[in-house]
Amino acid sequence: MFWSAWARVSALKWAIPPLILTAGLVKNLLRALISQGIEALRANGTLPADSLPPDFVVERPKTRDHGDFATNAAMLLAKAARSNPRALAQALVEALPRSEDVSKVEIAGPGFINFHLAPAAYQREAASVIKEAHDYGRNLSGNGRTVGVEYVSANPTGPLHVGHGRAAAIGDCVARVLDANGWNAKREFYYNDAGVQIENLALSVQARVKGIAPDQEGWPEGGYRGEYIADVARAYMAGASVDLEGTLVVGAKDPDDMQSIRRFAVAYLRNEQNLDLAAFGVDFDIYFLESSLYTDGKVAEAVAKLQASGHTYEEGGALWLRSTDFGDDKDRVMRKSDGTFTYFVPDVAYHLSKWQRGYERAITELGADHHGSLARVRAGLQALEVGIPQGWPEYVLHQMVTVMRGGEEVKLSKRAGSYFTLRDLIEEAGRDATRWFLIARKPDSQLTFDIDLARQQSNDNPVFYVQYAHARVCSLLRQAQEKGLVYEQGNGLANLGRLADDASLGLMNEISRYPEVVEAAGVALEPHLVAQYLRELAHAFHTWYHGTPVLVDDATDRNAKLTLACAARQVLANGLELLGVSAPEKM
């Protein structure tokens, strides 16, 4: 049985005043109503006085027919009240305080309570978008705490491939979303500039310097075969200089100076990667070198702490970590019998440095192929016994990307030799489309990037569809100006109450979801939720636009409609910024 609650509240002793609502405040308002209703049930003996408050949820139903928000509070309280959930739901509804922002409350199913908001609530929400502007949707849940977000972290041995591009888009957007949730996000790039791959890079450049090409005699086993190696070799022999983050590295022109070749090649390719990322709209606060872990004694410090904690042992001439004590599937070798460290030891030392630098949270974005290393790094950090919490660091893993053009997979790049590069993709699809497509799906799902679709200027292209909604509002404002129609925003804000038709309220409802989406994306570390939301908001706006004459003769009506359009534009711009995608005024 569905019924209106507000005809039954004459005996209520208090009322909740109307609020300027954000989605977080909507939920807080409803939670306050429900909590006060629960206290009233305790006071009248319906609930035991010593019963614990339930951890109830307030969420949006799947369809608006079931209300704007719903709660399971009565179902959780029924046992303590020794009542069936629907009967307790009725008692709770009757105990709820009155609120001008709620027009109707219903009981549904086994005992859900559904809330219908009054049009005025959504009209005030649209007004709050205009007033808060860029800050609309942002919250302070992070309370300024520091979170380190590490992403891309490619070996400086060649151009960035499309997988690195997906890591860059995901990591950058995770940091943006965390910033929007009140965290102080530190963006970090970890360069693996030590080890076998760097030696192979130096040998490859040296071979090119000496005129040896791939497949010729003398080419190093495991050498890098892309044309970019020849570019590095030519620059080295020309005495070119590379300004890498304030340090000048100059080609020594000496074919036999391996140390100089190695240093120049790493600097050259790091700079190339930085240029690729800058073109992609991705930057970092910190560039951390693996080699510094050795030169600064961080690896030795980590090993010493692990030995002091009593979680290591020696066997077969090797030093082992008893990582099975901390959930790993087997113990891990730390130092091999030849005296060299295995690769997970510098990983532990690196993450220890994050903890020492004050990162209350650490998030690492990696390709799914790195999944096997997660447990051992966490085990190593726990074994240090320095207070690092379990589950630290957090990981976001992404699956591979398949690039399609003309219905066929694109795999090769002449420049890279064996893979399609991020720069290739940006040049073909554009920065905005590349960022959107690489972020638009959940990270752990495989992604197909259709270059042809990304280049289309049609509603089938999601980034075009969303950007066009933003540009359409800008066009409305230009048209008004060209027609000599003055837009008075203050008048529009004061008269949003005129917009009570289904299409306008539907658009306002969609707008009001944005802060919830930002919060959910930050909690789950899933910025694709923002992209999905923006498509839905764009659809709601386009639907409203096509069915609603905006530039009408009545100035008050026109101002109200332009104000609602501007609220949609603001939310579109705010969401696109979280994805690092532009919000064009013309298309």
Side-chain angles (χ1 to χ4, degrees), residues 279-296:
F280 201 38
V282 173
D283 57 14
F284 295 87
D285 301 302
I286 298 165
Y287 293 92
F288 197 103
L289 302 181
E290 179 188 2
S291 57
S292 72
L293 294 170
Y294 295 93
T295 57
D296 295 345

mmCIF file of all heavy atoms in Angstrom, residues 279-296:
data_model
loop_
_atom_site.group_PDB
_atom_site.id
_atom_site.type_symbol
_atom_site.label_atom_id
_atom_site.label_comp_id
_atom_site.label_asym_id
_atom_site.label_seq_id
_atom_site.Cartn_x
_atom_site.Cartn_y
_atom_site.Cartn_z
ATOM 1 N N ALA A 279 51.445 16.715 -23.619
ATOM 2 C CA ALA A 279 50.473 16.821 -24.708
ATOM 3 C C ALA A 279 49.154 16.167 -24.337
ATOM 4 O O ALA A 279 48.098 16.515 -24.883
ATOM 5 C CB ALA A 279 51.046 16.184 -25.971
ATOM 6 N N PHE A 280 49.208 15.247 -23.394
ATOM 7 C CA PHE A 280 48.026 14.521 -22.946
ATOM 8 C C PHE A 280 47.351 15.216 -21.762
ATOM 9 O O PHE A 280 46.338 14.751 -21.251
ATOM 10 C CB PHE A 280 48.438 13.101 -22.558
ATOM 11 C CG PHE A 280 47.327 12.099 -22.552
ATOM 12 C CD1 PHE A 280 46.322 12.109 -23.502
ATOM 13 C CD2 PHE A 280 47.273 11.123 -21.573
ATOM 14 C CE1 PHE A 280 45.297 11.177 -23.492
ATOM 15 C CE2 PHE A 280 46.256 10.171 -21.550
ATOM 16 C CZ PHE A 280 45.259 10.211 -22.513
ATOM 17 N N GLY A 281 47.945 16.312 -21.311
ATOM 18 C CA GLY A 281 47.390 17.026 -20.170
ATOM 19 C C GLY A 281 47.645 16.351 -18.848
ATOM 20 O O GLY A 281 46.855 16.491 -17.910
ATOM 21 N N VAL A 282 48.769 15.646 -18.746
ATOM 22 C CA VAL A 282 49.102 14.907 -17.522
ATOM 23 C C VAL A 282 50.443 15.412 -17.007
ATOM 24 O O VAL A 282 51.422 15.462 -17.762
ATOM 25 C CB VAL A 282 49.172 13.388 -17.798
ATOM 26 C CG1 VAL A 282 49.680 12.643 -16.568
ATOM 27 C CG2 VAL A 282 47.807 12.865 -18.220
ATOM 28 N N ASP A 283 50.482 15.787 -15.747
ATOM 29 C CA ASP A 283 51.761 16.176 -15.151
ATOM 30 C C ASP A 283 51.878 15.577 -13.760
ATOM 31 O O ASP A 283 50.948 14.955 -13.246
ATOM 32 C CB ASP A 283 51.939 17.690 -15.127
ATOM 33 C CG ASP A 283 50.800 18.393 -14.380
ATOM 34 O OD1 ASP A 283 50.036 17.705 -13.663
ATOM 35 O OD2 ASP A 283 50.679 19.623 -14.505
ATOM 36 N N PHE A 284 53.030 15.789 -13.154
ATOM 37 C CA PHE A 284 53.339 15.147 -11.878
ATOM 38 C C PHE A 284 53.978 16.151 -10.932
ATOM 39 O O PHE A 284 54.640 17.102 -11.342
ATOM 40 C CB PHE A 284 54.282 13.957 -12.092
ATOM 41 C CG PHE A 284 53.669 12.848 -12.896
ATOM 42 C CD1 PHE A 284 53.728 12.861 -14.285
ATOM 43 C CD2 PHE A 284 53.000 11.807 -12.267
ATOM 44 C CE1 PHE A 284 53.137 11.851 -15.029
ATOM 45 C CE2 PHE A 284 52.408 10.805 -13.002
ATOM 46 C CZ PHE A 284 52.477 10.828 -14.382
ATOM 47 N N ASP A 285 53.780 15.902 -9.657
ATOM 48 C CA ASP A 285 54.435 16.701 -8.620
ATOM 49 C C ASP A 285 55.827 16.156 -8.308
ATOM 50 O O ASP A 285 56.720 16.912 -7.923
ATOM 51 C CB ASP A 285 53.600 16.687 -7.336
ATOM 52 C CG ASP A 285 52.197 17.230 -7.552
ATOM 53 O OD1 ASP A 285 52.076 18.380 -7.981
ATOM 54 O OD2 ASP A 285 51.225 16.482 -7.310
ATOM 55 N N ILE A 286 55.979 14.841 -8.451
ATOM 56 C CA ILE A 286 57.224 14.181 -8.037
ATOM 57 C C ILE A 286 57.640 13.173 -9.102
ATOM 58 O O ILE A 286 56.817 12.375 -9.571
ATOM 59 C CB ILE A 286 57.040 13.453 -6.689
ATOM 60 C CG1 ILE A 286 56.692 14.458 -5.583
ATOM 61 C CG2 ILE A 286 58.288 12.646 -6.315
ATOM 62 C CD1 ILE A 286 56.139 13.827 -4.328
ATOM 63 N N TYR A 287 58.899 13.222 -9.489
ATOM 64 C CA TYR A 287 59.503 12.196 -10.327
ATOM 65 C C TYR A 287 60.533 11.465 -9.459
ATOM 66 O O TYR A 287 61.520 12.060 -9.023
ATOM 67 C CB TYR A 287 60.187 12.811 -11.549
ATOM 68 C CG TYR A 287 59.227 13.452 -12.519
ATOM 69 C CD1 TYR A 287 58.906 14.804 -12.417
ATOM 70 C CD2 TYR A 287 58.626 12.714 -13.539
ATOM 71 C CE1 TYR A 287 58.017 15.399 -13.302
ATOM 72 C CE2 TYR A 287 57.735 13.302 -14.428
ATOM 73 C CZ TYR A 287 57.442 14.645 -14.297
ATOM 74 O OH TYR A 287 56.559 15.236 -15.172
ATOM 75 N N PHE A 288 60.282 10.208 -9.218
ATOM 76 C CA PHE A 288 61.107 9.444 -8.277
ATOM 77 C C PHE A 288 61.913 8.416 -9.055
ATOM 78 O O PHE A 288 61.354 7.614 -9.818
ATOM 79 C CB PHE A 288 60.219 8.741 -7.247
ATOM 80 C CG PHE A 288 60.955 8.269 -6.027
ATOM 81 C CD1 PHE A 288 60.865 8.953 -4.838
ATOM 82 C CD2 PHE A 288 61.757 7.128 -6.073
ATOM 83 C CE1 PHE A 288 61.546 8.522 -3.705
ATOM 84 C CE2 PHE A 288 62.440 6.690 -4.955
ATOM 85 C CZ PHE A 288 62.346 7.392 -3.764
ATOM 86 N N LEU A 289 63.240 8.414 -8.862
ATOM 87 C CA LEU A 289 64.125 7.511 -9.584
ATOM 88 C C LEU A 289 64.425 6.260 -8.762
ATOM 89 O O LEU A 289 64.805 6.359 -7.588
ATOM 90 C CB LEU A 289 65.440 8.207 -9.934
ATOM 91 C CG LEU A 289 65.352 9.479 -10.775
ATOM 92 C CD1 LEU A 289 66.745 10.021 -11.050
ATOM 93 C CD2 LEU A 289 64.616 9.215 -12.074
ATOM 94 N N GLU A 290 64.264 5.099 -9.384
ATOM 95 C CA GLU A 290 64.622 3.851 -8.709
ATOM 96 C C GLU A 290 66.087 3.877 -8.277
ATOM 97 O O GLU A 290 66.428 3.406 -7.189
ATOM 98 C CB GLU A 290 64.370 2.656 -9.628
ATOM 99 C CG GLU A 290 64.738 1.322 -8.985
ATOM 100 C CD GLU A 290 64.665 0.151 -9.954
ATOM 101 O OE1 GLU A 290 64.364 0.379 -11.135
ATOM 102 O OE2 GLU A 290 64.933 -0.982 -9.500
ATOM 103 N N SER A 291 66.944 4.447 -9.132
ATOM 104 C CA SER A 291 68.380 4.470 -8.811
ATOM 105 C C SER A 291 68.650 5.211 -7.502
ATOM 106 O O SER A 291 69.612 4.891 -6.788
ATOM 107 C CB SER A 291 69.156 5.131 -9.949
ATOM 108 O OG SER A 291 68.675 6.445 -10.195
ATOM 109 N N SER A 292 67.792 6.193 -7.155
ATOM 110 C CA SER A 292 68.018 6.952 -5.925
ATOM 111 C C SER A 292 67.818 6.087 -4.683
ATOM 112 O O SER A 292 68.363 6.390 -3.618
ATOM 113 C CB SER A 292 67.082 8.162 -5.869
ATOM 114 O OG SER A 292 65.739 7.769 -5.628
ATOM 115 N N LEU A 293 67.053 5.016 -4.806
ATOM 116 C CA LEU A 293 66.855 4.131 -3.662
ATOM 117 C C LEU A 293 68.168 3.468 -3.247
ATOM 118 O O LEU A 293 68.363 3.164 -2.066
ATOM 119 C CB LEU A 293 65.818 3.055 -3.995
ATOM 120 C CG LEU A 293 64.393 3.554 -4.229
ATOM 121 C CD1 LEU A 293 63.533 2.418 -4.795
ATOM 122 C CD2 LEU A 293 63.779 4.080 -2.935
ATOM 123 N N TYR A 294 69.034 3.256 -4.227
ATOM 124 C CA TYR A 294 70.344 2.662 -3.936
ATOM 125 C C TYR A 294 71.337 3.735 -3.484
ATOM 126 O O TYR A 294 72.039 3.571 -2.479
ATOM 127 C CB TYR A 294 70.866 1.926 -5.160
ATOM 128 C CG TYR A 294 70.027 0.738 -5.554
ATOM 129 C CD1 TYR A 294 69.003 0.859 -6.484
ATOM 130 C CD2 TYR A 294 70.244 -0.520 -4.984
ATOM 131 C CE1 TYR A 294 68.220 -0.229 -6.845
ATOM 132 C CE2 TYR A 294 69.467 -1.610 -5.330
ATOM 133 C CZ TYR A 294 68.454 -1.457 -6.261
ATOM 134 O OH TYR A 294 67.674 -2.540 -6.613
ATOM 135 N N THR A 295 71.373 4.857 -4.235
ATOM 136 C CA THR A 295 72.353 5.902 -3.906
ATOM 137 C C THR A 295 72.050 6.561 -2.564
ATOM 138 O O THR A 295 72.970 7.001 -1.864
ATOM 139 C CB THR A 295 72.394 6.972 -5.010
ATOM 140 O OG1 THR A 295 71.080 7.524 -5.187
ATOM 141 C CG2 THR A 295 72.852 6.357 -6.332
ATOM 142 N N ASP A 296 70.753 6.624 -2.194
ATOM 143 C CA ASP A 296 70.380 7.255 -0.920
ATOM 144 C C ASP A 296 70.292 6.252 0.233
ATOM 145 O O ASP A 296 69.900 6.615 1.347
ATOM 146 C CB ASP A 296 69.031 7.973 -1.060
ATOM 147 C CG ASP A 296 69.091 9.146 -2.022
ATOM 148 O OD1 ASP A 296 70.200 9.585 -2.357
ATOM 149 O OD2 ASP A 296 68.013 9.616 -2.452
#
